[in-house]
């Protein structure tokens, strides 16, 4: 099963991205989603190559946001696609069955479509307002997650769902009670001065009820 904590990278330059990702890995994060928007193909490739090596060193999963062909080119573990990106079905045809494909969702219908087309996990959100992402979909809040997860249960749809969007430490317990698998976070880790402690605290809450 996939790790419960995903770090979505931040940084406007290659150097910023590498530093932030390296620090997250060093602090114990073992799932990296490289998000490097509006950059040249060359810079994206340079960054992806460097992050792939880092993730291999730390035995972490490495997913690339949006850019399927880059993920294919450097043999990343998979790709995460937004609602306006390439269709999951098309991505699956290109990447094959072994690679991880994640999809952004805002509604139960989004999840139904993604799962039908071969999606491995869902990034469901936003939980609350966040500055990290432009063109934000409607805010879900706890009630939105609960309602969607109940519909999934009723329809026997089983796929890991990650909450995303402005999540803080105190949100995790109530979010986990809705039935989500884990969380995808960005700013909370990037901006922390005590990343190792924070990631330990996040994981303690995320894995609190997991029987080993």
């Amino acid at each position: 099963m996939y790790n419960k904590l995903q770090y979505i990278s931040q940084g406007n330059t290659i150097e910023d991205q590498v530093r932030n990702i390296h620090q997250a890995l060093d602090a114990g994060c073992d799932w990296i989603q490289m998000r490097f928007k509006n950059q040249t193909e060359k810079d994206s490739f340079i960054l992806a190559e460097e992050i792939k090596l880092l993730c291999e060193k730390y035995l972490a999963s490495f997913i690339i946001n949006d850019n399927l062909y880059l993920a294919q080119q450097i043999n990343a573990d998979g790709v995460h696609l937004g609602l306006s990106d390439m269709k999951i079905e098309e991505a699956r045809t290109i990447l094959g069955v072994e690679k991880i494909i994640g999809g952004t969702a805002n509604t139960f219908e989004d999840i139904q479509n993604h799962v039908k087309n071969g999606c491995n996990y869902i990034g469901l959100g936003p939980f609350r307002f966040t500055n990290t992402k432009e063109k934000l979909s409607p805010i879900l809040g706890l009630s939105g997650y609960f309602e969607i997860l109940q519909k999934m249960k009723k329809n026997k749809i089983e796929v890991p769902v990650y909450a995303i969007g402005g999540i803080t430490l105190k949100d995790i317990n109530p979010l986990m009670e809705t039935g989500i698998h884990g969380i995808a976070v960005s700013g909370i880790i990037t901006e922390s001065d005590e990343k190792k402690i924070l990631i330990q605290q996040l994981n303690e809450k995320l894995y609190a009820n997991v029987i080993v």
Side-chain angles (χ1 to χ4, degrees), residues 104-175:
T104 298
N106 181 245
T107 66
F108 173 67
E109 289 70 28
D110 291 337
I111 294 173
Q112 274 185 311
N113 290 331
H114 286 342
V115 173
K116 181 179 71 177
N117 291 321
C119 195
N120 297 112
Y121 75 86
I122 301 293
L124 180 63
F127 172 61
R128 65 162 59 89
F129 177 79
T130 173
N131 289 314
T132 307
K133 190 169 183 181
E134 297 174 11
K135 299 178 183 175
L136 213 59
S137 297
I139 305 296
L140 293 176
L142 275 176
S143 60
Y145 281 92
F146 183 78
E147 185 181 329
I148 291 170
L149 269 293
Q150 286 299 305
K151 282 183 182 177
M152 287 178 64
K153 196 173 180 181
K154 186 179 176 183
N155 287 272
K156 296 182 171 58
I157 296 174
E158 295 183 7
V159 64
V161 173
Y162 290 81
I164 183 169
I167 295 166
T168 65
L169 197 59
K170 70 179 191 312
D171 297 319
I172 296 178
N173 287 346
L175 273 170

Side-chain angles (χ1 to χ4, degrees), residues 52-201:
K52 187 182 182 223
L53 290 173
L54 273 176
C55 286
E56 286 173 353
K57 177 184 173 184
Y58 284 89
L59 304 178
S61 299
F62 178 38
I63 305 294
I64 293 179
N65 183 278
D66 290 358
N67 197 331
L68 178 136
Y69 294 107
L70 178 58
Q72 184 183 38
Q73 193 177 9
I74 68 149
N75 196 26
D77 294 310
V79 68
H80 183 95
L81 298 171
L83 287 167
S84 59
D85 296 327
M86 179 186 284
K87 300 294 183 190
I88 302 287
E89 189 175 16
E90 186 182 348
R92 178 58 71 201
T93 302
I94 294 167
L95 285 185
V97 296
E98 298 298 321
K99 296 298 184 182
I100 299 167
I101 299 179
T104 298
N106 181 245
T107 66
F108 173 67
E109 289 70 28
D110 291 337
I111 294 173
Q112 274 185 311
N113 290 331
H114 286 342
V115 173
K116 181 179 71 177
N117 291 321
C119 195
N120 297 112
Y121 75 86
I122 301 293
L124 180 63
F127 172 61
R128 65 162 59 89
F129 177 79
T130 173
N131 289 314
T132 307
K133 190 169 183 181
E134 297 174 11
K135 299 178 183 175
L136 213 59
S137 297
I139 305 296
L140 293 176
L142 275 176
S143 60
Y145 281 92
F146 183 78
E147 185 181 329
I148 291 170
L149 269 293
Q150 286 299 305
K151 282 183 182 177
M152 287 178 64
K153 196 173 180 181
K154 186 179 176 183
N155 287 272
K156 296 182 171 58
I157 296 174
E158 295 183 7
V159 64
V161 173
Y162 290 81
I164 183 169
I167 295 166
T168 65
L169 197 59
K170 70 179 191 312
D171 297 319
I172 296 178
N173 287 346
L175 273 170
M176 293 300 283
E177 287 171 8
T178 68
I180 61 163
H181 173 72
I183 60 169
V185 293
S186 191
I188 186 178
I189 290 177
T190 305
E191 293 158 20
S192 172
D193 293 325
E194 297 285 353
K195 289 180 174 59
K196 193 162 281 196
I197 293 170
L198 172 64
I199 288 172
Q200 185 179 346
Q201 291 172 329

